[in-house]
Every structure is written in C-alpha cells, then in structure tokens.
Amino acid sequence: MESDNTQSVFDVLAEAAALPETAATMLVDKYFVDKASASARIFRIYREVPLHYHEECDEHLYLLSGRGTFHLDGAEFEARPGLFLAFERLKVHGFPRVSEEPLVVLAIDVPRRRPDDIVFVDPLAGDAKSFMARNAEGG
C-alpha cells in the first residue's frame, strides 16, 4: 500500500476506484509519493471529518469525486469535483457533511504530512486512530 518512491506515473482514478467501499475510520488513503519533502496521496472520506488542523505541513486538496461541505477557517464551501483548496499548516478545516459518495480527494502535502499529524479542535471528536485506517492498523 505504501509508495516506494520509484514510480513516476500514477493512474489516480483507478487507485481511487480501488479504495474500499466502507471503513471504520473517517478516511482511508493511498500514497503515491511519500518523501520527507512532500507527500502525494488520495483519500476517501467515509463520514464527517470534524474540525482539525495539521501542525507540520501545508495541505493542497483537489476533489476528484463526490460532494459535501468543506469547512476552512470559519467559512463553508460546497465540496464538489474540481474544487481545489490550498491552505497552510494550523488552518482549521474539516468535512462536516458528505452528501454524495465516493468523496475522494487528491492531497499534496509540503512537507510530508505524517499520518498521525492531526489535532482535533474538540479532542473528544477523534484521534489519529479514528481518523485514518493506517493509524488504526498501526501502519
């Protein structure tokens, strides 16, 4: 499932279609590039992602499929295919509603976002293990 960083060409839509239909966590992801300087991956959102932020990276998101609501720094936007979001570390964001599945996002993080780099605004809303499948699996 992890990138070995030797591949240069990726079939993003095929990889998105291969993500599981259901998950116990909020997200399941697949890395294409996984280097200290940057990471590139896709992730599927399965349920509400409460407000949170990342401490170690700037995040660039491109919505590939699905619809919902995206919250960024106090404002809400329609999340739909073609929407591109670029924001710096510490910016509060989340997906409070998923209205059409599959909600799949291409993410480029600079520098790499560690899978456990997530801080929920409400600590009772979740943690790294409930956020992403690879954290729940210990990977």
Side-chain angles (χ1 to χ4, degrees), residues 9-25:
V9 178
F10 305 92
D11 188 337
V12 175
L13 297 179
E15 293 291 349
L19 292 169
E21 290 295 316
T22 62
T25 54

Side-chain angles (χ1 to χ4, degrees), residues 69-137:
T69 303
F70 181 75
H71 180 102
L72 178 61
D73 211 23
E76 289 192 347
F77 305 89
E78 176 192 9
R80 57 174 171 68
L83 187 70
F84 178 73
L85 303 150
F87 50 94
E88 296 176 349
R89 66 194 76 194
L90 305 179
K91 285 284 186 181
V92 173
H93 61 284
F95 280 88
R97 283 178 292 291
V98 175
S99 56
E100 181 184 308
E101 295 185 25
L103 185 54
V104 179
V105 176
L106 173 68
I108 300 169
D109 304 311
V110 180
R112 178 194 196 271
R113 190 183 75 71
R114 286 190 350 266
D116 64 348
D117 176 19
I118 181 158
V119 179
F120 286 97
V121 172
D122 174 1
L124 300 177
D127 59 19
K129 287 186 177 187
S130 65
F131 179 60
M132 191 171 303
R134 75 179 56 253
N135 296 335
E137 298 163 358

